[in-house]
Coordinates of all heavy atoms in Angstrom, one line a residue:
D847 N 14.8 -29.3 51.2 CA 14.5 -30.4 52.0 C 15.5 -31.6 51.7 O 15.4 -32.7 52.4 CB 13.1 -30.9 51.8 CG 12.7 -31.2 50.4 OD1 13.6 -31.1 49.5 OD2 11.5 -31.5 50.1
R848 N 16.4 -31.5 50.8 CA 17.4 -32.5 50.6 C 18.8 -32.0 50.2 O 18.9 -30.8 49.7 CB 16.9 -33.6 49.6 CG 16.7 -33.1 48.3 CD 15.9 -34.1 47.4 NE 15.8 -33.6 46.1 CZ 16.4 -34.2 45.0 NH1 17.2 -35.2 45.2 NH2 16.2 -33.7 43.8
F849 N 19.8 -32.8 50.4 CA 21.2 -32.4 50.0 C 22.0 -33.6 49.6 O 21.7 -34.7 50.0 CB 21.8 -31.6 51.1 CG 22.3 -32.5 52.2 CD1 23.6 -32.9 52.3 CD2 21.4 -32.8 53.2 CE1 24.1 -33.7 53.3 CE2 21.9 -33.6 54.3 CZ 23.2 -34.1 54.3
F850 N 23.1 -33.4 48.9 CA 24.1 -34.4 48.6 C 25.5 -33.9 49.1 O 25.7 -32.7 49.2 CB 24.1 -34.8 47.1 CG 22.9 -35.6 46.7 CD1 21.8 -34.9 46.1 CD2 22.9 -36.9 46.9 CE1 20.7 -35.6 45.7 CE2 21.7 -37.7 46.5 CZ 20.7 -37.0 46.0
T851 N 26.3 -34.9 49.3 CA 27.6 -34.6 49.8 C 28.7 -34.9 48.7 O 28.6 -35.9 48.0 CB 27.9 -35.4 51.1 OG1 26.9 -35.1 52.0 CG2 29.3 -35.1 51.7
I852 N 29.7 -34.1 48.7 CA 30.9 -34.3 47.9 C 32.1 -34.5 48.9 O 32.3 -33.7 49.8 CB 31.2 -33.1 47.0 CG1 29.9 -32.7 46.2 CG2 32.4 -33.3 46.1 CD1 29.4 -33.7 45.3
D853 N 32.8 -35.6 48.7 CA 33.9 -35.8 49.7 C 35.2 -35.0 49.3 O 35.2 -34.2 48.3 CB 34.3 -37.3 49.8 CG 35.0 -37.9 48.6 OD1 35.5 -37.1 47.7 OD2 35.1 -39.1 48.5
D854 N 36.2 -35.1 50.1 CA 37.4 -34.2 50.0 C 38.2 -34.4 48.7 O 39.0 -33.6 48.3 CB 38.3 -34.3 51.2 CG 38.8 -35.7 51.5 OD1 38.3 -36.6 50.8 OD2 39.7 -35.8 52.3
R855 N 37.9 -35.5 48.0 CA 38.5 -35.8 46.7 C 37.7 -35.2 45.5 O 38.0 -35.4 44.3 CB 38.7 -37.3 46.4 CG 39.6 -37.9 47.5 CD 39.4 -39.5 47.5 NE 38.0 -39.8 47.7 CZ 37.5 -41.0 47.4 NH1 38.3 -42.0 46.9 NH2 36.2 -41.3 47.6
G856 N 36.5 -34.6 45.9 CA 35.6 -34.1 44.8 C 34.7 -35.2 44.3 O 34.1 -35.0 43.3
Q857 N 34.6 -36.3 45.0 CA 33.8 -37.5 44.6 C 32.4 -37.4 45.2 O 32.2 -37.0 46.4 CB 34.4 -38.8 45.0 CG 35.8 -39.1 44.4 CD 35.7 -39.2 42.9 OE1 35.0 -40.0 42.4 NE2 36.5 -38.5 42.2
F858 N 31.4 -37.7 44.4 CA 30.0 -37.7 44.8 C 29.7 -38.9 45.7 O 30.1 -40.0 45.4 CB 29.1 -37.8 43.6 CG 27.6 -37.9 43.8 CD1 26.9 -36.8 44.3 CD2 26.9 -39.1 43.6 CE1 25.5 -36.9 44.6 CE2 25.6 -39.1 43.8 CZ 24.9 -38.0 44.3
V859 N 29.0 -38.6 46.9 CA 28.6 -39.7 47.8 C 27.1 -39.9 47.6 O 26.3 -39.0 47.8 CB 28.9 -39.3 49.3 CG1 28.5 -40.4 50.2 CG2 30.4 -38.9 49.4
S860 N 26.8 -41.1 47.2 CA 25.4 -41.4 46.9 C 24.5 -41.4 48.2 O 25.0 -41.6 49.3 CB 25.2 -42.8 46.3 OG 25.5 -43.8 47.2
G861 N 23.2 -41.1 48.0 CA 22.3 -40.9 49.1 C 22.1 -42.1 50.0 O 22.0 -42.0 51.2
D862 N 22.2 -43.3 49.4 CA 22.1 -44.5 50.3 C 23.3 -44.7 51.1 O 23.2 -45.1 52.3 CB 21.7 -45.8 49.5 CG 22.6 -46.0 48.3 OD1 23.4 -45.2 47.9 OD2 22.5 -47.1 47.7
F863 N 24.5 -44.4 50.6 CA 25.7 -44.6 51.4 C 25.7 -43.6 52.6 O 26.1 -43.9 53.7 CB 27.0 -44.5 50.6 CG 27.2 -45.7 49.7 CD1 28.1 -45.7 48.7 CD2 26.4 -46.9 49.9 CE1 28.3 -46.8 47.8 CE2 26.6 -48.0 49.0 CZ 27.5 -47.9 48.0
L864 N 25.3 -42.4 52.2 CA 25.2 -41.3 53.3 C 24.2 -41.7 54.4 O 24.4 -41.5 55.6 CB 24.9 -40.0 52.7 CG 25.3 -38.8 53.7 CD1 26.7 -38.8 54.0 CD2 24.9 -37.5 53.0
T865 N 23.1 -42.4 53.9 CA 22.1 -42.9 54.9 C 22.7 -43.9 55.8 O 22.5 -43.8 57.1 CB 20.9 -43.6 54.1 OG1 20.3 -42.6 53.3 CG2 20.0 -44.2 55.1
A866 N 23.6 -44.8 55.3 CA 24.3 -45.8 56.1 C 25.2 -45.1 57.1 O 25.3 -45.4 58.3 CB 25.0 -46.8 55.3
L867 N 26.0 -44.1 56.6 CA 26.9 -43.4 57.5 C 26.2 -42.6 58.6 O 26.6 -42.7 59.8 CB 27.7 -42.4 56.7 CG 28.8 -43.0 55.8 CD1 29.4 -41.9 54.8 CD2 30.0 -43.5 56.6
M868 N 25.1 -41.9 58.3 CA 24.4 -41.2 59.3 C 23.7 -42.1 60.2 O 23.5 -41.8 61.4 CB 23.5 -40.2 58.6 CG 24.2 -39.1 57.9 SD 23.2 -38.0 56.9 CE 22.4 -37.0 58.2
A869 N 23.2 -43.2 59.7 CA 22.6 -44.2 60.6 C 23.5 -44.7 61.7 O 23.2 -44.8 62.9 CB 22.1 -45.4 59.8
Q870 N 24.8 -44.9 61.3 CA 25.8 -45.4 62.3 C 26.0 -44.3 63.4 O 26.1 -44.7 64.5 CB 27.1 -45.7 61.5 CG 27.0 -47.0 60.7 CD 28.3 -47.2 59.8 OE1 28.8 -46.3 59.2 NE2 28.8 -48.4 59.9

């Protein structure tokens, strides 16, 4: 029921920042 994202540099993207991106 949940997931996290790793960007193309191998860096972890926090859940609140992904919330902001998906909200946009």
Side-chain angles (χ1 to χ4, degrees):
D847 56 1
R848 64 193 184 108
F849 75 95
F850 286 96
T851 302
I852 309 301
D853 73 13
D854 58 351
R855 300 163 301 166
Q857 299 294 307
F858 176 70
V859 181
S860 69
D862 50 349
F863 290 168
L864 199 60
T865 297
L867 286 168
M868 291 172 74
Q870 290 173 313

